[in-house]
Every structure is written in structure tokens, then in C-alpha cells.
Amino acid sequence: MSEHRRKPPQPQGGGRAAARRAAQQSSGRRAAPGRGATSASPSASHGEERPYGGRAEARRAAQRGGGRRRVDESGTGGRAARRGAAGAGAAAGKKRLIDYPRHDKYGWRRWMPSWKLVAGLCIGFIGLLMVAAALAYSMVVVPKVAEAATAQNNVYYWADGSQMAATGGEVNRQIIGIDQIPREMQDAVISAENKTFEKDSGIDPMGISRAVFNMARGQQTQGGSTITQQYVKNARLDDQDQTLSRKFQELFISIKIDSTMDKPDIMAGYLNTSYYGRGAYGIQAAARTYYNKDAEDLNASECAFLASLLKGATYYDPAGATEIDSRAKPAANRERAEKRWRWILDEMVKDNRLPAEERAKYTEFPNPQKPKKNAQLSGQIGYLVDLAKANFLNNYEGMTEKKLAQGGYEIHTTFDKKKVNALEASIKKIYKEHIDPDKRPDTDTHVQFGGASVEPETGKIVAIYGGADATKHFTNNADATGAQVGSTFKPFVLAAAMRDGVRNPELQPEQGPSERTIVDPDKSRYNGANKLKIKNYDGSIWRNEEGKEWLQKNDGDESFKNISLREAMIHSANSPFVQLGMDIGIPQVRKAAVDAGLLESSLVEANVPSFSLGISDPSAIRMAGAYGTFAANGKQRDPYSVTSVDHQGKTIYKHEDEPDTVFTKAVATNVTDVLRDVVDDEEGTGKNARLPGRQVAGKTGTTDDNKSAWFVGYTPQLSTAIDMYRLDDDEKSGKKREFLKMYGTGDRDTIHGSSFPSEIWQTYMSKALKNAKIMEFDEPEELDAEAVWGGGAVSPKPTPSSKPSSSPSESPSSSPSESPSTSPGPTESCNPWEDWTCEPSGGTDAGTDQGGGNGGITTSPTTSPGTDSGGGNGNNGGGNGGGFIGGSDGTE
């Protein structure tokens, strides 16, 4: 009945047409089975016909993938069905202009772009870049030199807001033509910075790519700029920030300048606008500044040096620039400058720009003349301006010396005009009354003073003394000078002992805080012997790299008995603090000093015993700031000299107070309490610094051979450091700086911190605090500390009982033994816990001056009586530490 509606089977070759017809059929119509469908009987075949699903079936077939066979009821695959599914998929995903996702792929292949697509995109992207570059090149405008070279005044203000100085106004620059610039100068720059200058197109693609890549990653830019690019940065761009957009701007301007300017003109522009340091812009100003001659008179050697300055005058000027960076010391700068000077001359020979026979003439470094300042920066003003300038440069990101030299900045400082004048007057008074180079040329020449005054509660540098005159003496004596600080370093050793503690001899070196013993400055005792044999914390003898022992001397060869750390500080005994430093560990002592505020770069790196005696050379500013940390009860603030900076009517920089608590109040107040006794005690080395009616804490310091002397002290509201030394400033540049001895200086046998430095300190502080509120230090807080005996010092022995027993008595009797000992024992009239001069049990004079026998520490008194613990073996300096002759009152 329905037989006429059934379509005959499709031929094998009709798969594509069948697929199209299947897709066009309505969803309700039934299609005949494929060629592969067979049946045992017509009725069976008719009853098991497989319906086609039309478009929905085609979509499903496409989704199942073109590689899968459709299986009919008999289990055999139909080629027509497969082709139909593919055709349906094609109909579902028509090919587009950009074939992505790909129309004829399935699964993960559908999302893989074809090579044609990738190539097309790359070509299109490159094309767009070329069009953009062409547009940028055509639109870029080359700035005029005059617009970028205009300079204004920088105005510096006192703390009260009145004007201190105005610098700038006119940049030290004189434009000269290429015919006035020596060929040797041009060749030196080409060999050193851009060997392809005469041939390149103004840019170095590899160098630019490297710089852009590094900036994109937030890293520091590297070299690679051509002379043309440097010229663009110097004279054509006001914004000196190294941003990505600025780098592209620089790139296109450089290309355009190279195509519109001749190479000689570019070279002249570069050398006329480059910064050579000392405020000199351009080769003519540099020639005048460094060699006092015109540029055209420079020889090849001098040209090579000036070319080295282009790498960074701060680090290549032999005069140094420690006010900007502590690493830019004169000796280090000279070494860098000489090395680069030689390298440039050698490169000129390699590039055939300098004959080898002429190069052979230049064996001596062409020493430049010393820096000079203009008249308005005379006296202390020049030092103050340099210090404020350095403070701003070091704390404002993106600011450079060159950019600051262009002017227009209003710099507000912390300097108190009255205190600056008072400090200068106090030093000049001592110099005028006691220093006479004409009368005593061998002892009084080259005497220098330096000083700095800092507020502990703020960190403000209120006054400095940098030298006699900034226009004649260039080095700022308040900053890094190389003068060692001597015993003024001892408070940092004491602070480390009370904060970090001494090590346990029975444990390994890697000891945590819980395994150390915090030291009590009054209950503890250390061996104060002269020429004490210094030992490691475990009792072994310390030896240097040559295997030699260290015998520590006291000032004046004075010898002290077992002494408390307070008394050792009062008398400035060296041996107790050297051994204490070894027991603590030099790294911990160094950390305490840095935490207090000293720069780690100013401290010696060697972990030697003498480290605790101040063989390092921090500046007066940093010493005043570090002592101020104790005055501020353990809160450290870096000294600063600039409160704010305005530019074009806007405040671009403002100092923020960021105190850091580095010591507990208990540690800081106990250090202060000990240092107060250095001044208040009649035998204290700092008694000359007393201020009637005010509390003062401080410490004297003197170095070996009287080469420098210090006094650093503070009241609750002001910390001041004064130093004195002899250093030949008239020596030829490049000669090794050597500190001279001060025996006989000022018509005194020796110079100590207790002499001129403390006298200057007292005179200045009296004036500086004349109308200031009288304040008192906080009372010392209780320390969780123990009594420690070090350097061979031993705890006092209890008096033996009248009836000896086989075991020592827990409660020693005060009555003497029935059988007298060969050496006296302690009595009620001699209590070593109360009187540091008391002789320990068995003390005699039998020991030599080499120090105590046991160098380790002990934290508990022994209870067993003995008869030979004092004299012992004379060759070991009194056995276990007794038997040293007490010295007379020390001066330092």
C-alpha cells in the first residue's frame, strides 16, 4: 500500500546529492535507507527503516567529527552517510574572510590557525607598524635647543623661612664651534661611546631594543644610546625620566636629526651640552673648570679624562662627591677615573684615532685642579647647600644632579642659622686661641675640625661645621672624612651586650637569643688589664691571619683590676670592651651600630677585635644621629636636611618621619645612664662637657697615634658630634691621604676627645640651648640581665667557714678561716659587688701584662675556696684573671 512511497536505493556514487536532499527534507519526512541497508524480507526491511533527522541530524553529524562512520542497523558503514554528515557540517560553518575558528576542522584542529592566517596577520601587523612609524616620523617636531637649556635659580631657605642662598641663574656653559673642539676630544668620545657614529643613522637598534625591553620589565636601563641619542637627551628633551614613551620620542627625534644635521654639527652639539660635573655644561666650561684652559688647548690625555666624565662625573671626578654618594670617595673616584682614562687612550689606538707613539707619552694621569665655589657660597653656606642638595637627590626618585642644575627649585632646609653660627664661632675660638701653624708648623699645620648637631626626636640636622671656608676647603668635615671615631664607638658595643647578649662558650656559634646571656653593665666584671690577651668567646686565643695573638693596650698603658662595664666606660678602658665585643660577636656589634644609624659602608668589614674600639670612620652627622637614637629611647631616625621642595608652584617633595624602634627603652635608657656618668663622674673622661643645670650623656674618643679625637654627646633635645684631626689638604691631587699625628698640637703633649673636642662641644651646646627648656632623661628601666665575668675576670669567692667541711658551705661565713691562707681573702670591708677597686680573692702582683688566663665568660660565682686563683702562673698574667696592679686615673 505504501510501497509506491519508498525510494529505490541510491547508487554508490550519489552520496553528495543524497546528503543535500537529506538536509533539505523536513524533520517529519522519512528517508530511504542507504545502500548498505539490507533485509531478509520486504516487510522486515520496511519495518526497520532508519529515519533521517534533517538539519538537526546534519548538525549532530558534523559535531561528531567527519572521520566517524555512520553505522546502520546491519553494522556496516555507509559512505553516503559520512559524506552527508560532512556536507551538513559545511553548511553549518560557512567559510569566512578570516577563517578562524577554521570551518573545515573539528576538535582542537578547529582552533589552530592556518599558516596563511598567521602569515597574513604578521604581514598586516608589520605594515601597520611601518605606517605608524612613517606617520610618527612625519609628525615629530624637533625641539629647539634654547627651549631645553634655559636655567633658573635654585633658592635655599633656612629653617625659619628666610633665604639662605640662591644658586644657578646661568648654567656654566659656553657654546663653541666644531673647529674649536680638538679632534682628539671627538675621537676620544667616539672610541669610548659610539664607534659607528660616523656611519650609523643616529640609532642603535639593538641598544634601543635592549633598553625598551628592560624598561618594560621595570629594570634599570642599560647602555646602547648613540652620540646622536645622547645629544637629543641633553639638549632637545626637557623630561629626563626614562619612560617607554620618552624612549620612542627620543628614537624618532634622533632619526630625524641624523637626516637633517651633519655629523660634525651633531658632535659639536653633544659636546657643548653634555654635563661634566662641578656645574660645568659643555666642553669649554669643562676645560676651564678642570684645567683652567680653553678647549682648543687640550691634549689627548686631558681629552680622554674629560671623556671619562661623561660616564658619570659623580663617580669619575677625582675630587670625590661623598655628599651625593658615600661610594664616591676621592680615592675610589680617582681609581675609576684612571682606569677609564687608560682604557679610552688604548681604544683610540685600536681604532686608529691616536698614534701608538703619542699614546706612549701619556703615562701620568692628567690631574685636574681642585674644585672651586663662587663667592656667595663662602663660609659654611657652601657646605650647607651641598648637604641639602645631596639630601634631595638621594631621597627624591627621578631627580638627577644635572636636572637640579637647570634650576627653578625652592629647597627648604632644617638648618638653624643661630646654631650654625654658634658652632662655627665655638670652633674658631678654639682654633684662634690654641692652633698656630706659623709658630708650630710641625704640629699645628693641616689641623681640621668638623661637627654636626641633630635633633633626636625628629632627625633634623640643625647645624654643621664643614671647615674654614667652602670656597677654599672643599671637603665637608661634617660628612665622611676618613677620620676614625675611636672610643666613641664603645656605646654600640654596650648596647649590643644589653640587647643581644654574650654567647655561651659551651654552645655552637649559631646561637639564638634564648641561648645568649644579656649583660648587666653594673653587676658584670671584665678584665681591665693593659695588654690583655684577647680570646674568642669559647676561651681559645684569638689569632690573626698570620697566627699572631692580640694584646690589647689601654690608653697610657694603664691597667685596671676586674672592672664593671660602667666603670670601664667612665675610664674609657679598652681591654674590657674589646673582649666584650668578642664575647658578643663582631657581626652583632656591627648590626647594633647600623641599627643605631651608622652607615654600613662606613664600617670596616673585618671581624677583628679592634672593631669594637672604633677603627671605622662614620661621619660626624651619622655619629650625632646614632647617639640621638639613645636619646630618643631607642627610636632611630636618619638625619635629614631638607623638609620640602617646591617647583613651579607645586610641592614635589616632602620629608616624612619614619622612626624605627631598634632598641628597647630599657636598653637605650641604660646606655644613656652609663654615658651620663662619663660626664658627671669626677674621674670621667667627659667631665669637660658638663652643662650646668642640664643632664648630659656623652663619650670621648681617641685613635692610635693621636690621629683623631672626638666627643659625641647629647641632651634630651640635641645630639652633637665634634671631631678633630690633621690631614694635609694642600697635597697634590691623587696622593694617598694620610692622617698625621697630633702629638704637640695646640702646644699639648697629646690630643684626646676630653680636650679640644669636648671643650668645643660644651661651648657650642651652652649657646645652642641657652633659651631651650631644661629637660631630663627618662630613668633607666630594669634590664632582664645577668652578671657576666669575662676576659679572665672571676666572680668573688665566698669567705670559707671556720670549720672546713668536705663540701663547700652554701652560706659562707663572714669569719676568717682558722688556718690563714697565703693570700688574703675577701672581708666585710672589701665588697667587690659595691667597690670595683676591691681585690678579688687571692689577688697579687705576680702576673705579667699579657692578660688573664681564662678568656671565656662565666655567669655564676664559684663556691669552692681556693688559695692560688689570684697569683697563679705569672706567665699567664695572673692565672684566672686576678693579680693586676690598679692604674691611676685615665684621661681617655
Side-chain angles (χ1 to χ4, degrees):
M1 182 176 176
S2 59
E3 196 70 23
H4 67 284
R5 299 180 60 124
R6 297 172 65 185
K7 293 185 179 181
Q10 296 298 320
Q12 183 147 354
R16 187 175 299 177
R20 278 200 303 270
R21 286 193 295 272
Q24 292 171 0
Q25 288 179 356
S26 63
S27 59
R29 295 185 64 184
R30 298 173 61 142
R35 183 176 177 180
T38 58
S39 173
S41 65
S43 61
S45 299
H46 175 74
E48 297 178 4
E49 276 187 342
R50 182 170 182 172
Y52 284 87
R55 291 182 182 176
E57 178 66 17
R59 282 197 298 271
R60 286 193 293 272
Q63 292 171 356
R64 285 193 297 266
R68 181 188 300 178
R69 287 180 175 270
R70 295 184 60 189
V71 181
D72 60 10
E73 295 80 356
S74 62
T76 60
R79 185 178 299 175
R82 186 171 69 252
R83 291 176 179 172
K94 278 190 175 182
K95 189 173 183 179
R96 293 151 293 177
L97 179 62
I98 299 178
D99 187 20
Y100 190 80
R102 298 174 69 178
H103 76 288
D104 57 349
K105 301 294 181 183
Y106 308 98
W108 63 270
R109 293 181 179 86
R110 181 174 172 80
W111 303 100
M112 288 293 293
S114 65
W115 68 269
K116 293 181 180 179
L117 179 61
V118 173
L121 288 175
C122 289
I123 294 172
F125 181 71
I126 293 173
L128 287 175
L129 285 180
M130 293 177 65
V131 171
L135 289 174
Y137 180 81
S138 62
M139 295 174 63
V140 70
V141 176
V142 178
K144 296 180 180 179
V145 175
E147 293 174 356
T150 303
Q152 308 172 53
N153 281 334
N154 285 326
V155 183
Y156 294 81
Y157 297 91
W158 292 102
D160 62 5
S162 60
Q163 182 171 318
M164 181 173 69
T167 65
E170 293 183 2
V171 171
N172 182 15
R173 175 192 289 141
Q174 181 181 351
I175 304 298
I176 59 177
I178 191 65
D179 56 332
Q180 294 176 278
I181 300 176
R183 183 65 211 184
E184 290 83 355
M185 185 67 199
Q186 302 175 48
D187 290 337
V189 171
I190 292 174
S191 291
E193 300 189 21
N194 186 192
K195 293 179 182 293
T196 62
F197 168 71
E198 295 168 328
K199 300 178 181 178
D200 62 38
S201 58
I203 63 169
D204 177 5
M206 293 299 294
I208 287 286
S209 300
R210 181 173 59 250
V212 171
F213 178 69
N214 288 333
M215 282 190 296
R217 294 195 302 167
Q219 295 185 356
Q220 186 177 2
T221 58
Q222 296 181 0
S225 296
T226 63
I227 287 176
T228 305
Q229 288 175 261
Q230 293 292 332
Y231 168 58
V232 169
K233 286 188 286 188
N234 289 342
R236 306 287 181 158
L237 293 175
D238 292 326
D239 181 15
Q240 293 297 314
D241 294 332
Q242 292 293 324
T243 61
L244 195 59
S245 60
R246 184 186 176 280
K247 203 67 182 176
F248 278 112
Q249 184 183 16
E250 172 194 313
L251 173 67
F252 289 116
I253 294 177
S254 298
I255 296 173
K256 199 157 194 174
I257 283 182
D258 189 78
S259 64
T260 57
M261 290 180 64
D262 294 332
K263 290 290 186 178
D265 293 334
I266 295 175
M267 175 62 74
Y270 171 61
L271 294 176
N272 277 323
T273 57
S274 293
Y275 184 64
Y276 297 81
R278 301 190 188 181
Y281 281 85
I283 184 61
Q284 175 66 10
R288 282 289 178 184
T289 299
Y290 287 93
Y291 293 110
N292 196 28
K293 61 172 64 173
D294 291 328
E296 59 185 353
D297 297 327
L298 296 169
N299 60 37
S301 178
E302 294 164 339
C303 289
F305 165 70
L306 294 179
S308 70
L309 292 173
L310 298 176
K311 190 174 178 64
T314 298
Y315 303 101
Y316 289 87
D317 183 352
T322 52
E323 71 279 3
I324 297 177
D325 192 330
S326 60
R327 296 171 298 176
K329 296 180 179 180
N333 276 18
R334 181 182 173 84
E335 183 179 351
R336 281 188 287 262
E338 282 198 43
K339 183 177 180 180
R340 187 162 179 82
W341 164 75
R342 292 192 189 93
W343 177 79
I344 290 177
L345 289 174
D346 292 340
E347 288 298 305
M348 292 173 69
V349 174
K350 291 180 183 178
D351 298 338
N352 295 321
R353 296 182 179 276
L354 181 68
E357 54 272 18
E358 184 176 355
R359 166 65 181 92
K361 299 176 183 178
Y362 305 123
T363 57
E364 296 293 329
F365 182 71
N367 292 319
Q369 61 185 2
K370 292 197 171 185
K372 296 180 180 179
K373 292 185 180 293
N374 58 45
Q376 66 167 325
L377 297 179
S378 62
Q380 298 305 303
I381 299 299
Y383 303 121
L384 298 172
V385 167
D386 284 345
L387 188 61
K389 172 184 172 182
N391 184 241
F392 179 42
L393 289 173
N394 291 329
N395 288 280
Y396 184 60
E397 188 176 356
M399 180 56 60
T400 64
E401 184 182 6
K402 179 180 177 181
K403 191 173 183 179
L404 182 61
Q406 292 181 349
Y409 298 90
E410 297 179 5
I411 302 172
H412 299 268
T413 75
T414 61
F415 303 129
D416 186 312
K417 187 175 183 179
K418 292 181 179 179
K419 289 183 174 63
V420 170
N421 291 338
L423 182 55
E424 183 178 27
S426 299
I427 292 176
K428 286 187 174 181
K429 179 177 181 293
I430 290 293
Y431 193 96
K432 183 178 180 180
E433 293 177 356
H434 299 280
I435 310 301
D436 192 341
D438 295 331
K439 186 177 180 180
R440 294 179 294 273
D442 294 334
T443 60
D444 286 16
T445 54
H446 312 305
V447 173
Q448 298 289 337
F449 291 94
S453 201
V454 176
E455 286 184 358
E457 291 297 326
T458 63
K460 292 180 179 178
I461 304 173
V462 297
I464 65 167
Y465 180 81
D469 191 327
T471 62
K472 300 175 182 178
H473 173 71
F474 184 73
T475 302
N476 186 348
N477 292 349
D479 211 334
T481 62
Q484 295 180 357
V485 296
S487 292
T488 57
F489 195 83
K490 290 175 182 175
F492 306 123
V493 184
L494 181 62
M498 293 191 290
R499 183 185 72 173
D500 303 317
V502 296
R503 293 172 287 183
N504 188 334
E506 298 178 357
L507 299 178
Q508 297 298 317
E510 297 79 12
Q511 300 180 26
S514 62
E515 298 167 334
R516 288 172 169 261
T517 302
I518 302 302
V519 178
D520 186 288
D522 293 305
K523 297 177 182 178
S524 301
R525 294 291 187 274
Y526 264 77
N527 195 336
N530 186 47
K531 295 184 180 179
L532 177 69
K533 185 181 295 184
I534 301 303
K535 304 190 176 184
N536 296 306
Y537 78 96
D538 60 1
S540 61
I541 297 175
W542 185 89
R543 299 179 186 274
N544 61 16
E545 61 276 6
E546 298 176 356
K548 296 181 180 179
E549 301 174 356
W550 183 272
L551 302 180
Q552 182 57 54
K553 294 179 61 177
N554 288 326
D555 186 64
D557 287 332
E558 293 183 83
S559 192
F560 302 90
K561 302 174 184 180
N562 295 344
I563 188 173
S564 73
L565 295 178
R566 181 184 296 271
E567 291 293 339
M569 190 75 76
I570 291 172
H571 292 272
S572 199
N574 292 334
S575 51
F577 281 97
V578 172
Q579 186 59 59
L580 177 62
M582 298 299 289
D583 294 343
I584 299 167
I586 300 303
Q588 281 70 32
V589 175
R590 181 183 290 104
K591 187 177 187 304
V594 172
D595 288 345
L598 301 187
L599 295 176
E600 189 165 7
S601 59
S602 69
L603 305 179
V604 297
E605 297 179 358
N607 295 329
V608 294
S610 56
F611 180 86
S612 298
L613 294 183
I615 58 174
S616 301
D617 56 3
S619 67
I621 293 172
R622 283 288 170 173
M623 286 297 290
Y627 271 50
T629 298
F630 300 130
N633 293 330
K635 292 183 178 180
Q636 190 271 332
R637 293 174 172 85
D638 283 337
Y640 73 99
S641 58
V642 175
T643 57
S644 63
V645 177
D646 300 330
H647 186 245
Q648 297 179 350
K650 296 181 180 180
T651 299
I652 63 171
Y653 170 77
K654 192 170 184 179
H655 176 80
E656 296 182 2
D657 186 26
E658 297 179 350
D660 186 13
T661 302
V662 295
F663 301 110
T664 63
K665 187 176 180 181
V667 170
T669 52
N670 274 276
V671 170
T672 295
D673 192 58
V674 171
L675 295 183
R676 283 186 60 193
D677 281 349
V678 174
V679 177
D680 294 340
D681 195 285
E682 285 302 321
E683 296 180 350
T685 60
K687 60 185 178 183
N688 288 338
R690 294 172 184 168
L691 298 174
R694 292 185 183 274
Q695 293 183 351
V696 174
K699 185 68 187 75
T700 54
T702 306
T703 59
D704 287 344
D705 286 331
N706 255 210
K707 291 184 178 180
S708 62
W710 290 71
F711 184 82
V712 186
Y714 54 94
T715 65
Q717 63 265 63
L718 197 61
S719 178
T720 300
I722 302 295
D723 63 326
M724 175 184 179
Y725 53 91
R726 289 182 64 207
L727 182 64
D728 186 358
D729 274 353
D730 296 330
E731 60 192 359
K732 292 183 178 180
S733 179
K735 182 181 178 181
K736 184 178 180 180
R737 302 170 81 238
E738 182 179 1
F739 286 87
L740 308 176
K741 299 177 183 179
M742 292 191 292
Y743 296 115
T745 298
D747 202 23
R748 298 191 180 184
D749 293 338
T750 57
I751 299 296
H752 293 86
S754 58
S755 56
F756 296 142
S758 62
E759 293 172 23
I760 292 171
W761 190 95
Q762 198 278 339
T763 303
Y764 160 69
M765 291 289 280
S766 297
K767 296 177 182 177
L769 299 173
K770 185 175 182 179
N771 298 318
K773 179 182 177 181
I774 295 179
M775 300 175 63
E776 294 184 352
F777 294 113
D778 290 345
E779 289 296 318
E781 292 189 353
E782 197 71 26
L783 280 169
D784 185 15
E786 299 181 25
V788 171
W789 289 266
V794 293
S795 58
K797 305 289 187 299
T799 303
S801 62
S802 58
K803 294 182 179 181
S805 61
S806 58
S807 60
S809 171
E810 295 181 2
S811 303
S813 171
S814 61
S815 60
S817 171
E818 293 181 356
S819 301
S821 170
T822 57
S823 59
T827 64
E828 291 181 357
S829 63
C830 182
N831 189 345
W833 293 95
E834 298 176 358
D835 183 5
W836 72 273
T837 62
C838 176
E839 184 77 48
S841 174
T844 69
D845 299 345
T848 68
D849 59 2
Q850 287 186 343
N854 294 333
I857 60 172
T858 174
T859 58
S860 60
T862 60
T863 58
S864 59
T867 60
D868 60 354
S869 60
N873 184 349
N875 292 330
N876 288 329
N880 288 328
F884 289 99
I885 302 173
S888 60
D889 293 344
T891 59
E892 179 64 295

